[in-house]
Amino acid sequence: MSRADTVDDRNRTPAPVPAPGPTPAPARTANWTWTFGLLRSELLTTFRRWRTLALLGVLAAVPVLVGIAVKIETSDGSSGGPGGGGGGEGPAFISQVTNNGLFLVFTALAVTLPFFLPMAIGVIAGDSIAGESNAGTLRYLLVAPAGRTRLLLAKYATVMIFCLVATLVVAVSALTVGALLFPLGDLTTISGTRIGFGDGLLRALLIALVVAASLTGVAALGLFVSTLTSSGIAAMATTVGLLITVQILDQIPQLHALHPYFFSHHWLSFADLMREPVYWDDLEKNLGLQALYAAVFGSAAWARFTTKDITA
């Protein structure tokens, strides 16, 4: 190298070096925007499907059928159900429907919770991952900068929002039918005390939220099953089959030691919200058990999905 070249190199202006610093805020904003956009896309896709609308339609029809049946049954002035409303089990609310249409909300939730609501959740959850794989769209979803964990969380959040919407559909339908067919007003709790109609509406909303929360275990179970297969129909059928099996086992007296660990065992504990004062023991057991199922099967779904070989 010549002396002239050395002098020329010394006289060159060095290129500016960018100062180190944290990740720019716009990048983080873009990540959050993408996350909410993914959730929004999942919600729109789910609630635009005819299958989803059909499930919500069936759930909305159940309170109508129950209300009409009670109205016909009590048209001669007889009691609306056996036992005169004692107990505290959900179906016993049906004996109070003729006195106050608000009880139709509690009755409809008690009727749909053992099968109709969990079946609908099982269909949506079971199809969440397996349906995408069967349709050949799962690989394209993962090409976008979402990541498997974020996509799985968006799927689970969508199922949970469907849980809430499905429960509210039953409650609103029952409240509408109850207002049309039966009188409304102050109501008598299971404990025999009187509460105002506004307090009754608040308790009805709280019961609907508890019922929706009671389905988180089924949602996590269905999501896990959905990661095990590429067939949406197989995942839905397996989830619903497990749901029916657990509820059958929960009715076998010889398995009483296992009953408290079944996710469906404390479902009807929402009736304790209609006591004065409220009994919280079974409600806390129910919500704690659902949280445990959600944690176990949610973790299993994450472990399976993040290591799964996506071919479709």
Side-chain angles (χ1 to χ4, degrees):
M1 180 181 295
S2 66
R3 181 180 179 82
D5 291 336
T6 303
V7 173
D8 184 59
D9 288 341
R10 291 175 181 174
N11 292 334
R12 286 178 183 171
T13 303
V17 178
T23 304
R28 297 195 196 100
T29 303
N31 288 336
W32 281 108
T33 301
W34 172 256
T35 300
F36 286 113
L38 178 63
L39 178 60
R40 177 178 176 272
S41 175
E42 289 296 327
L43 289 172
L44 290 176
T45 301
T46 299
F47 284 96
R48 282 177 177 175
R49 288 174 176 162
W50 284 107
R51 178 178 59 220
T52 304
L53 298 177
L55 289 173
L56 293 176
V58 170
L59 292 173
V62 173
V64 177
L65 297 177
V66 173
I68 293 175
V70 173
K71 186 67 174 179
I72 294 175
E73 181 71 18
T74 59
S75 59
D76 58 352
S78 61
S79 173
E89 296 298 325
F93 287 133
I94 199 169
S95 62
Q96 299 288 347
V97 172
T98 53
N99 300 324
N100 195 319
L102 187 57
F103 276 100
L104 186 59
V105 177
F106 314 135
T107 301
L109 290 173
V111 169
T112 56
L113 184 54
F115 181 72
F116 291 101
L117 276 171
M119 182 198 68
I121 304 306
V123 168
I124 299 299
D127 191 55
S128 56
I129 299 296
E132 298 282 4
S133 181
N134 186 53
T137 56
L138 183 57
R139 183 168 54 181
Y140 296 102
L141 281 176
L142 295 176
V143 169
R148 299 195 181 196
T149 300
R150 192 175 301 179
L151 178 61
L152 191 68
L153 288 175
K155 291 287 188 181
Y156 187 66
T158 300
V159 177
M160 290 309 305
I161 292 174
F162 178 80
C163 289
L164 180 59
V165 170
T167 305
L168 291 178
V169 164
V170 174
V172 171
S173 174
L175 181 60
T176 303
V177 175
L180 292 175
L181 298 181
F182 308 103
L184 296 176
D186 296 348
L187 63 158
T188 303
T189 67
I190 295 175
S191 303
T193 58
R194 297 281 294 179
I195 60 175
F197 181 70
D199 192 5
L201 278 178
L202 183 61
R203 296 200 186 201
L205 176 60
L206 185 57
I207 284 175
L209 295 178
V210 169
V211 170
S214 299
L215 298 169
T216 55
V218 174
L221 174 62
L223 190 68
F224 170 62
V225 172
S226 187
T227 63
L228 299 178
T229 178
S230 298
S231 172
I233 296 177
M236 289 185 287
T238 301
T239 304
V240 175
L242 288 173
L243 168 69
I244 296 174
T245 301
V246 167
Q247 296 203 66
I248 292 175
L249 294 177
D250 197 21
Q251 302 301 318
I252 299 178
Q254 290 78 6
L255 299 178
H256 67 278
L258 299 177
H259 290 171
Y261 303 101
F262 293 146
F263 55 75
S264 61
H265 185 68
H266 297 290
W267 271 353
L268 292 181
S269 62
F270 73 81
D272 289 337
L273 288 170
M274 284 303 298
R275 297 183 185 273
E276 189 65 38
V278 175
Y279 291 176
W280 293 104
D281 290 347
D282 286 344
L283 287 167
E284 291 174 354
K285 290 178 182 178
N286 177 40
L287 296 179
L289 188 63
Q290 301 308 320
L292 178 62
Y293 269 89
V296 171
F297 286 104
S299 299
W302 175 81
R304 169 61 178 170
F305 187 59
T306 53
T307 58
K308 184 179 180 179
D309 185 19
I310 306 298
T311 59

